[in-house]
Amino acid sequence: MNRRLLLVLLSSVSTAVLFLFLIVQFPGESGSFGLKLMGLRIKQGNNTFSALHRKLLHGTTMKEPNRLPGEKCTKADIVINQGATRPLPTGIPTYTVEIMNICVTGCDISGIHLNCGWFSSARPINPKTFRRLRYNDCLVNDGKPLINGGTVSFQYANTFLYPLSVSRVICS
């Protein structure tokens, strides 16, 4: 639990530092920091989010993915974040992965499969959380639904970070 809290705090602090940097770099008219309309594009894996910021204290707004008529969700509704964490005592680097359901239509998403190459880990991962089925096919949450707003997280240890991206999902 402490590691998760630390990860959330570090993520919040780094986000705050980034926004402060952007506000200093792009001041509004008459020197009023943060009041100028700024467009920010965030690219993570295959997903790109657009956020508009009018003031420092306003939250980000995400652009809804393009949907076909009648489509409840898409693979763009699953966001993957991963970053380096403290290495194992043996010196092998470790990484924390968070897989989130950000579906704005309130949908639960199951059957989440990721492109993952020859994913492997020196640190055991609960196979109900994440497992490689075959080359470039990993299953999240044992195929069970990830509720709207839900997150699945795990840590792995390897000499390099594996690029992970969503290959397919099932809308529940």
Side-chain angles (χ1 to χ4, degrees):
M1 186 65 178
N2 290 337
R3 287 183 181 175
R4 180 177 280 175
L5 179 62
L6 180 62
L7 183 64
V8 169
L9 287 173
L10 287 175
S11 177
S12 298
V13 168
S14 64
T15 302
V17 169
L18 173 66
F19 283 112
L20 287 174
F21 173 77
L22 290 173
I23 288 172
V24 169
Q25 292 297 319
F26 303 104
E29 279 78 307
S30 305
S32 57
F33 294 115
L35 297 179
K36 182 178 180 184
L37 179 63
M38 294 187 307
L40 176 66
R41 292 177 55 84
I42 302 169
K43 177 130 173 95
Q44 291 181 327
N46 293 336
N47 300 323
T48 302
F49 301 101
S50 296
L52 295 176
H53 304 278
R54 293 184 185 271
K55 293 184 182 178
L56 177 61
L57 299 178
H58 280 196
T60 61
T61 57
M62 285 198 248
K63 184 178 174 184
E64 185 175 345
N66 293 331
R67 299 186 194 284
L68 297 173
E71 192 174 44
K72 286 176 62 174
C73 70
T74 69
K75 63 184 186 178
D77 290 315
I78 298 296
V79 174
I80 303 168
N81 291 315
Q82 65 174 315
T85 50
R86 187 173 28 176
L88 294 178
T90 59
I92 300 172
T94 63
Y95 304 93
T96 297
V97 177
E98 285 187 336
I99 302 166
M100 299 172 279
N101 176 352
I102 61 163
C103 181
V104 295
T105 60
C107 54
D108 296 343
I109 302 174
S110 61
I112 302 168
H113 288 259
L114 304 184
N115 296 315
C116 58
W118 286 113
F119 182 90
S120 66
S121 176
R123 166 182 275 172
I125 301 170
N126 182 346
K128 291 184 177 186
T129 302
F130 185 82
R131 71 176 179 269
R132 183 171 55 87
L133 303 174
R134 63 189 67 83
Y135 171 74
N136 215 27
D137 186 14
C138 290
L139 183 64
V140 176
N141 202 31
D142 209 22
K144 296 178 181 164
L146 182 57
I147 62 169
N148 183 31
T151 301
V152 171
S153 63
F154 62 92
Q155 287 188 334
Y156 69 93
N158 203 308
T159 54
F160 59 91
L161 181 139
Y162 279 95
L164 303 173
S165 62
V166 180
S167 61
R168 64 184 186 272
V169 297
I170 299 171
C171 295
S172 302

